[in-house]
Amino acid sequence: MKQFSFLFVVLAACFAAKAHDIVVIGRLPQLPDGTVVALSVESDSAFSVEVGQATLKDGRFILRGQYGRAGKGVLTTNNLELIGQNHWPMDSVHWNYIDLFVGGDTLFLHPDLSVTGTQMQEDFRLFQAADDVRAFLRNHPASVVSHWAACNLLKRAYNLNAEEVSELKENLKPNASEHTWYDELQQRLKDAVLTTRGMPLLDVAVADRRGDTHSLRAQLPQDKPYVLLDFWASWCGICLYQQPAIRKIQAEHADKLNVIAVSIDTDTRKWRQTLEKHPAAWPQYITTKEGFETLSKRYQIGNGVPYYLLLDRQGNVLSAIDRPESILSFINP
C-alpha cells in the first residue's frame, strides 16, 4: 500500500508539473464593474477549455489560471451576470472576444483591447497582421507561434504540396525555451511528406457492408477522371447535411465523377442504421481499427469529419477540398 501511495504521489506531481500558471492583468475603464472576464485556451482535441475567470472591479481585473502548453487563447468579457442582477433587457448583452497567445509570462490587456507582455504575444500579433503566412514563418523560424501555426497547417493531410512541406522542414528552427510545438511539428512533418498534393493516396483499411476487409486503394474505380472520397460519420450533422450536394454534383457529372464514402464510425450498427435512413448510390465502407489509426495519425485528421479528398483516375490526390462544391473548380476549370 505504501508503494502504491508513493507511486500515486509521483504521478500526481508529474501531471501537476505539466500545468503552467498564467496571469492576465487588465484595465477596462469603459466597462461596468461586475463584468466577467474569462480565458479559454485551445486543447489538444481542438476544443477550447476555460482555464480562468475574474470579475471587473474599479475598472481592473487580475485573472489567474493554468494552461497545459503555449497556444492560442481567447479572452472574453460579458455582462450577463449584470443583466440578471439588474433585470436589464436582453438586447443589453455585450461581449468582447480578444485573441491572444498564452505562454511565457504575464499578459496585459489594455483599454483598447490590445494585449502585450510576452515575446510570444508580440509574435502572435504580427502573425495575425501578416498577409502571407509563409513569409511570417520564414521571418520567424524559431518562434513558438511559427511552430504552432505550422502544426495547424499540417493537421489535415493533402493540404500542402511537396515544396511547401519541404520549406517548413528546412526553415523552421527549435526554440530555446519552449519545444513542445516544435517536437510535434517534427512528427507531423514526417507524416506530411507522405501526404502532399499529387502523391498517391495513402492506403486505409476499410470494411464493406458484409464485414469483409479491403484496401481502400484497391476499391478506387478508374473508369472516370475523378474520384471523390467522402470521409464522414453517423454522428456528424454537417456530413449528413452535405450529402444532398454530393448527390447533385455526382448526378450532374456522372460521366466524370465517382464517389466513395468511408465512415469513421466505431459502432457498425449505427453506421448501418444511418445508411438505411440516408441511402446513397455509391459504395459505402467503414474504417477498421487499423484504418482509423491511419486516418488519425498519418492523415492527421482524428475525428475531423467531414473530410473530402479529390483524386484522379490513377489514385493520386489532387486536393483536400473544404466542401463538395469545390470539386467544380477541377471538373469545370
Side-chain angles (χ1 to χ4, degrees):
M1 180 63 72
K2 289 183 178 179
Q3 289 180 335
F4 177 81
S5 298
F6 175 76
L7 178 61
F8 178 82
V9 170
V10 171
L11 288 174
C14 289
F15 281 114
K18 293 181 180 180
H20 304 281
D21 293 331
I22 175 69
V23 178
V24 181
I25 299 175
R27 189 169 68 85
L28 299 170
Q30 71 272 34
L31 298 181
D33 284 357
T35 296
V36 173
V37 184
L39 174 65
S40 298
V41 298
E42 291 182 349
S43 66
D44 289 336
S45 64
F47 293 105
S48 293
V49 177
E50 185 174 302
V51 298
Q53 192 174 108
T55 302
L56 205 62
K57 184 178 181 180
D58 297 329
R60 300 175 182 272
F61 71 89
I62 299 178
L63 184 152
R64 302 180 188 277
Q66 290 187 325
Y67 64 97
R69 65 171 173 174
K72 181 179 179 295
V74 177
L75 200 66
T76 62
T77 72
N78 74 82
N79 61 351
L80 294 178
E81 289 191 10
L82 290 173
I83 288 175
Q85 293 169 4
N86 298 297
H87 306 291
W88 293 343
M90 288 307 296
D91 59 6
S92 302
V93 174
H94 183 269
W95 287 78
N96 284 305
Y97 297 87
I98 305 107
D99 289 336
L100 45 72
F101 203 87
V102 174
D105 208 339
T106 300
L107 293 171
F108 299 91
L109 177 66
H110 304 283
D112 63 356
L113 303 184
S114 63
V115 181
T116 62
T118 67
Q119 184 60 53
M120 292 184 199
Q121 175 59 33
E122 174 60 16
D123 289 352
F124 183 63
R125 184 188 67 79
L126 295 173
F127 171 78
Q128 287 184 302
D131 294 325
D132 185 343
V133 172
R134 292 175 65 183
F136 174 87
L137 299 181
R138 286 194 297 269
N139 293 330
H140 303 80
S143 170
V144 176
V145 175
S146 292
H147 302 159
W148 162 80
C151 283
N152 285 332
L153 287 175
L154 296 170
K155 276 186 176 179
R156 310 271 284 187
Y158 301 105
N159 270 327
L160 304 179
N161 60 36
E163 178 186 355
E164 291 167 331
V165 172
S166 177
E167 183 178 1
L168 292 176
K169 186 176 181 180
E170 293 175 5
N171 290 349
L172 294 177
K173 308 299 180 185
N175 183 281
S177 61
E178 171 58 55
H179 61 84
T180 55
W181 281 110
Y182 186 78
D183 292 346
E184 179 177 322
L185 175 63
Q186 301 314 299
Q187 183 57 55
R188 288 191 178 277
L189 284 169
K190 290 180 182 178
D191 295 323
V193 170
L194 303 174
T195 55
T196 58
R197 291 199 304 270
M199 290 281 286
L201 178 74
L202 189 67
D203 210 1
V204 177
V206 297
D208 59 26
R209 298 193 195 202
R210 297 186 301 272
D212 297 331
T213 303
H214 304 275
S215 153
L216 179 58
R217 277 190 57 83
Q219 307 310 305
L220 298 177
Q222 298 181 339
D223 60 318
K224 298 176 184 178
Y226 303 100
V227 178
L228 173 67
L229 286 181
D230 172 19
F231 292 92
W232 68 288
S234 65
W235 42 260
C236 172
I238 299 177
C239 300
L240 299 177
Y241 176 79
Q242 294 283 20
Q243 283 190 2
I246 298 175
R247 290 191 187 94
K248 183 175 184 293
I249 293 171
Q250 198 279 330
E252 292 175 350
H253 301 277
D255 60 328
K256 296 180 180 180
L257 180 67
N258 282 306
V259 178
I260 294 180
V262 180
S263 168
I264 66 168
D265 277 282
T266 56
D267 189 328
T268 305
R269 180 180 57 84
K270 289 184 179 179
W271 170 59
R272 295 181 185 279
Q273 290 176 346
T274 304
L275 291 182
E276 292 176 2
K277 294 180 181 178
H278 303 273
W282 46 80
Q284 297 279 348
Y285 298 94
I286 187 170
T287 55
T288 64
K289 181 180 179 182
E290 176 188 4
F292 182 76
E293 289 175 353
T294 301
L295 286 172
S296 297
K297 183 177 183 297
R298 309 299 289 277
Y299 278 62
Q300 305 192 52
I301 68 169
N303 289 329
V305 290
Y307 177 62
Y308 306 107
L309 291 179
L310 186 65
L311 287 66
D312 63 18
R313 70 169 80 238
Q314 287 77 37
N316 300 315
V317 179
L318 298 174
S319 181
I321 58 178
D322 56 349
R323 55 196 178 92
E325 289 80 5
S326 299
I327 299 170
L328 300 177
S329 64
F330 290 88
I331 296 179
N332 299 316

